[in-house]
Amino acid sequence: MKIAVIGAGIVGISSANWLQKYGQDVTLFDMNDPGSQASFGNAGTYARYANIPTNSSSFFYLFPYLLLNKNSPLFIRFKRLNKTLPWILNYLYNCRNSNVNTTTNNLTKLLSKMDDGYEELFKEAGVEPYLSRKAVMYGWSTKLFFNSAKKDFSKREQTGIKIQVLSHDEISDLEPNINNIFYKGALFEGSYFAKNPKKVSQLLINLFVNKGGIFKKEKVTNIENLEKSKLQITTGSTSEVFDRVIIASGVWSKSLVEATGDKVPLEAERGYHIVNPDLKDVISRPISWQERGTYFTPMEDGLRTGGIVEFGDTDYEENPKVINFLERALKSIFPQSNRPTQSWVGFRPSVPDSLPVIGQSSKNPYIYYCFGHQHIGWSLGGISGKLIAQKICANKTDIDLAPYSLERL
Ligand SMILES: Cc1cc2nc3c(=O)[nH]c(=O)nc-3n(C[C@H](O)[C@H](O)[C@H](O)COP(=O)(O)OP(=O)(O)OC[C@H]3O[C@@H](n4cnc5c(N)ncnc54)[C@H](O)[C@@H]3O)c2cc1C
């Protein structure tokens, strides 16, 4: 079959590679460079343990505090609040225990297969030199937050990962160059990280193209249903006919989905990072300061300090308050740091129940969806791509896709 994948973030790139493995003739479209959006600016962690959604029950109770406290990692852009408010209310509604349990169970199923989605692709693409197998560390600076987080450890262990709790001194032994403000920490065995996410995406694109896949740097503006199960994709410069189309366009999937006649409550959970080349190799693994929702990741070009959630639009205007927040967090852990040399804002594609959408359009059986991977798309891109490829090519998937269908929303 001739298949178009729209979006060359990690989800689209993985989908394209898996479709090719299943013998399909694939064209991948992106209006930007491959892997240049959310898939570029993330904290790089392959977080198999990350099965508890951000909008958990404690998030609901802490919401007013999170909004008002200057040390909280939650921000809202008031500019577009009339558009985002219904989504935010839906997101808060999903903090109910029963919804959180459903989301946790369904994320666990995907995360348990995280490595199945990547291992083969990474090996063939030669990605290993750009990864580090050092486990991700969480740190809590207060006893109160550590005790609250500890309650979820067994849920996290369901993904097959062991958690090693660290004392204050053990953290210093592990990472001697930090200003150790942590009361306790935790290591998630089996987690790992990318030292250069952009390079990882590039190598996966090279793999795809070297095997005969086509990448087109073009914006898809329309998908039209022609007779006899044919779909016409229109871009700024061309029109081409395909048998199947996958919308894997991150946060921008919303308008393409709506053009097919479906509706999706998809919004941006904006995230930021800043880069300090002066702190290159100062730590050996990603450290997440949990109270601040901030990750410090040792990337090839320096220390990347990133994270936070800002509800809002998909414009690239940076909020100086967020940059200031990240710089303060950085100074607390790395008092020796200079001013960062770069800053970045990007968009986590999120639906209110914090589960991705992976499945078939209800309006057109030849159009498929694979987006909405919120905070853990870097981890789930591979397995999501494999599952959607199985759905199209074999109609038999390693995991039942019903919980991830658009109809649930
Ligand atoms: C600060 C931050 C930290 C994060 N940390 C982690 C982490 O440590 N671990 C983890 O697992 N996840 C993390 N994430 C989440 C992860 O980065 C995302 O979930 C993931 O990258 C989403 O991938 P994607 O392919 O769906 O979207 P994207 O990477 O945004 O790609 C979508 C692509 O579609 C293209 N596109 C859109 N519309 C069109 C169109 N009409 N025509 C052509 N092309 C189009 C875009 O140009 C874009 O390249 C983080 C995110 C952020 C912002």
Side-chain angles (χ1 to χ4, degrees):
M1 279 186 290
K2 205 171 161 217
I3 302 181
V5 179
I6 310 173
I10 193 61
V11 174
I13 295 173
S14 304
S15 305
N17 271 294
W18 279 109
L19 286 166
Q20 208 175 42
K21 276 184 170 296
Y22 289 112
Q24 308 305 326
D25 172 8
V26 187
T27 303
L28 179 57
F29 291 90
D30 202 306
M31 56 200 179
N32 293 300
D33 286 336
S36 64
Q37 301 303 306
S39 301
F40 160 70
N42 53 57
T45 66
Y46 295 99
R48 212 171 91 186
Y49 58 84
N51 60 346
I52 300 171
T54 309
N55 50 339
S56 62
S57 34
S58 54
F59 181 88
F60 182 82
Y61 296 113
L62 286 171
F63 191 65
Y65 162 86
L66 289 170
L67 272 185
L68 299 171
N69 189 300
K70 82 176 175 69
N71 287 327
S72 137
L74 183 66
F75 297 81
I76 294 189
R77 274 167 87 83
F78 289 98
K79 214 163 104 180
R80 195 174 162 267
L81 193 58
N82 60 331
K83 287 259 166 64
T84 28
L85 190 61
W87 185 94
I88 295 172
L89 294 175
N90 198 346
Y91 185 80
L92 289 172
Y93 177 81
N94 276 283
C95 293
R96 294 183 326 158
N97 273 328
S98 56
N99 297 47
V100 173
N101 288 339
T102 305
T103 294
T104 300
N105 289 340
N106 290 318
L107 286 180
T108 300
K109 286 182 207 159
L110 291 175
L111 285 162
S112 310
K113 296 216 170 277
M114 179 182 90
D115 291 338
D116 289 1
Y118 281 134
E119 260 170 13
E120 257 179 72
L121 300 186
F122 282 178
K123 206 166 165 205
E124 288 176 37
V127 164
E128 196 62 33
Y130 300 94
L131 305 178
S132 165
R133 298 283 167 178
K134 293 253 183 185
V136 177
M137 190 192 109
Y138 276 14
W140 290 268
S141 51
T142 58
K143 191 173 178 179
L144 181 75
F145 274 79
F146 172 72
N147 284 339
S148 156
K150 212 167 59 172
K151 291 184 206 134
D152 287 334
F153 281 7
S154 62
K155 278 191 200 162
R156 293 197 187 275
E157 281 172 336
Q158 285 168 13
T159 56
I161 278 191
K162 288 202 172 55
I163 300 174
Q164 184 189 342
V165 174
L166 301 169
S167 67
H168 173 86
D169 289 348
E170 284 169 332
I171 294 172
S172 293
D173 291 345
L174 213 57
E175 296 297 343
N177 298 327
I178 63 169
N179 175 35
N180 189 354
I181 53 148
F182 297 118
Y183 163 70
K184 292 268 188 210
L187 276 183
F188 298 94
E189 287 175 10
S191 59
Y192 58 102
F193 69 101
K195 294 180 284 186
N196 185 338
K198 189 155 193 198
K199 187 78 191 176
V200 171
S201 296
Q202 268 166 5
L203 288 171
L204 291 171
I205 280 279
N206 293 350
L207 174 69
F208 167 71
V209 172
N210 290 340
K211 284 187 175 175
I214 297 170
F215 172 71
K216 291 194 172 176
K217 192 171 172 183
E218 290 170 30
K219 178 175 180 169
V220 172
T221 50
N222 195 29
I223 310 168
E224 195 184 336
N225 198 11
L226 306 176
E227 88 293 2
K228 290 196 188 141
S229 74
K230 297 287 180 197
L231 296 157
Q232 179 168 277
I233 293 264
T234 305
T235 70
S237 47
T238 52
S239 280
E240 204 175 333
V241 176
F242 293 89
D243 301 301
R244 302 283 183 275
V245 171
I246 300 181
I247 298 175
S249 320
V251 75
W252 299 274
S253 302
K254 188 180 172 83
S255 52
L256 291 170
V257 169
E258 285 176 357
T260 73
D262 274 325
K263 286 237 168 301
V264 62
L266 182 67
E267 285 287 336
E269 284 189 69
R270 295 161 64 92
Y272 288 69
H273 80 230
I274 52 178
V275 180
N276 280 72
D278 55 311
L279 297 176
K280 187 167 155 54
D281 299 329
V282 72
I283 49 175
S284 66
R285 68 191 66 248
I287 298 177
S288 165
W289 182 359
Q290 285 291 285
E291 284 87 347
R292 297 285 174 100
T294 300
Y295 282 77
F296 305 97
T297 304
M299 296 275 178
E300 281 188 341
D301 59 348
L303 185 74
R304 184 179 282 191
T305 303
I308 78 98
V309 169
E310 184 180 45
F311 295 129
D313 208 347
T314 50
D315 68 71
Y316 292 93
E317 191 189 330
E318 292 176 6
N319 178 349
K321 284 190 185 147
V322 177
I323 302 295
N324 180 275
F325 172 88
L326 290 176
E327 288 190 22
R328 280 189 290 118
L330 174 75
K331 270 282 175 206
S332 303
I333 311 285
F334 303 95
Q336 73 276 34
S337 59
N338 295 330
R339 290 298 306 278
T341 55
Q342 289 168 46
S343 59
W344 172 90
V345 60
F347 318 110
R348 300 180 190 91
S350 297
V351 296
D353 68 358
S354 291
L355 277 176
V357 176
I358 309 173
Q360 208 161 9
S361 159
S362 67
K363 305 288 180 201
N364 186 325
Y366 308 111
I367 297 180
Y368 292 79
Y369 301 142
C370 201
F371 59 81
H373 291 75
Q374 39 98 12
H375 291 244
I376 52 172
W378 189 245
S379 309
L380 289 181
I383 185 60
S384 303
K386 185 174 187 181
L387 290 166
I388 202 70
Q390 287 176 338
K391 173 85 183 158
I392 295 174
C393 304
N395 210 20
K396 184 175 173 298
T397 51
D398 289 347
I399 298 173
D400 174 21
L401 290 182
Y404 315 98
S405 75
L406 186 64
E407 285 78 69
R408 75 178 194 271
L409 291 165

